[in-house]
Amino acid sequence: MAGGAAKNDQRRLAEVAGLERDRALLGRASTAERVADILRDRITEGYFPPGARLSEESIGGALGVSRNTLREAFRLLTHERLLVHELNRGVFVRVVTVEDLDDIYRVRTLVECAAVRSLGEGPYDEGTTAAIAGIEAAVQAGEAASRDREWQDLSTANIRFHQGIVALAGSPRTDELMRGVLAELRLVFHVMADPRRFHAPYLTRNRQIVEALQAGDAAEAERLLLSYLEDSRSQLSGAYAQHIARD
């Protein structure tokens, strides 16, 4: 038990040490929002896994920011449902529940399918064509990651694919909404043992969706996307429920 605690302490020190490289990103215009951006990236990359306690002293020292600035960043990320404050214990990376996961997929289905539906029939304007090119780039990145067996890169490419789908709506507010939703979803993937299992099977479906968009067939793309999200939710929700039950 003591050995496990020591390993956890060492891992936490390594995680915080990594933040020192991010300190330069703050520059002279250090703000709570920028600190929140850095911590959000670190959380979604898995440096701070679900359930990890975030130390004000260690993180504030690594980034060179005041306690008040850091607390405001924590507050912002708590509002985004990435962190949770526990009275007399501190701030922790949130552990998503099965109910949360189902709700995340409800939001994804509403937003992503609506973004595709809004396109109508092609041909599309330059802005939409550029957005579809971004989705194509994400698909290609996923295919390359799969060939190289880089499963975390595959996960990142898949998230970018869905961000690209949302970007079709041309709405900064929707982009911001989905940034938080997809970041919360990554908390789920970080506790699953085999990311390949949950991403690789959908590469072909990603390719089918982007090809339908390139052909100007938004109706077919939406049909494929809806089926994709329903199958993904069912598979991930079932596996995650089993994982939570074991823990």
Side-chain angles (χ1 to χ4, degrees):
M1 199 69 161
K7 287 183 179 179
N8 285 337
D9 288 343
Q10 291 174 354
R11 181 161 59 86
R12 297 289 181 266
L13 288 172
E15 291 163 354
V16 171
L19 289 176
E20 293 178 354
R21 295 191 297 272
D22 295 323
R23 186 170 181 170
L25 298 176
L26 295 175
R28 295 181 179 178
S30 177
T31 64
E33 289 82 2
R34 191 68 189 97
V35 173
D37 286 343
I38 290 172
L39 293 179
R40 184 189 302 105
D41 288 344
R42 287 293 183 168
I43 290 167
T44 57
E45 289 165 3
Y47 286 93
F48 297 111
R53 181 180 179 276
L54 302 188
S55 165
E56 286 187 7
E57 182 177 357
S58 298
I59 294 175
L63 292 176
V65 298
S66 70
R67 179 166 293 184
N68 285 340
T69 296
L70 186 59
R71 286 178 176 175
E72 176 62 12
F74 283 171
R75 187 192 67 79
L76 293 171
L77 295 177
T78 299
H79 181 70
E80 293 180 18
R81 301 174 65 82
L82 293 179
L83 300 180
V84 61
H85 180 268
E86 296 186 12
L87 189 63
N88 298 325
R89 293 194 64 218
V91 176
F92 296 80
V93 178
R94 189 163 165 268
V95 177
V96 175
T97 68
V98 176
E99 292 76 17
D100 290 329
L101 179 57
D102 287 338
D103 193 41
I104 286 170
Y105 270 89
R106 277 193 290 272
V107 173
R108 291 185 66 192
T109 300
L110 285 169
V111 175
E112 293 187 44
C113 289
V116 172
R117 190 183 315 123
S118 69
L119 297 180
E121 294 185 7
Y124 302 124
D125 60 27
E126 290 185 6
T128 300
T129 300
I132 293 173
I135 298 171
E136 167 70 27
V139 172
Q140 291 182 8
E143 291 167 343
S146 180
R147 288 194 300 270
D148 296 338
R149 305 178 67 82
E150 296 290 345
W151 308 125
Q152 288 303 322
D153 290 345
L154 174 58
S155 173
T156 297
N158 195 49
I159 290 294
R160 288 177 179 165
F161 170 82
H162 290 284
Q163 288 174 325
I165 291 290
V166 175
L168 294 172
S171 166
R173 290 173 177 80
T174 304
D175 292 341
E176 183 177 357
L177 166 67
M178 288 304 293
R179 180 184 67 174
V181 170
L182 293 173
E184 196 175 354
L185 180 64
R186 293 201 77 167
L187 294 181
V188 175
F189 288 121
H190 286 319
V191 302
M192 305 306 292
D194 184 9
R196 181 179 72 90
R197 172 187 171 192
F198 300 104
H199 296 297
Y202 293 93
L203 278 174
T204 299
R205 299 173 82 164
N206 288 354
R207 170 58 64 191
Q208 291 171 341
I209 291 168
V210 76
E211 288 180 352
L213 291 171
Q214 290 167 336
D217 192 348
E220 175 65 5
E222 183 185 359
R223 185 190 68 79
L224 292 168
L225 178 61
L226 178 60
S227 175
Y228 173 119
L229 291 173
E230 288 176 344
D231 290 347
S232 178
R233 183 208 60 78
S234 178
Q235 180 198 27
L236 184 57
S237 181
Y240 190 64
Q242 292 178 1
H243 180 88
I244 294 296
R246 287 197 301 269
D247 288 353

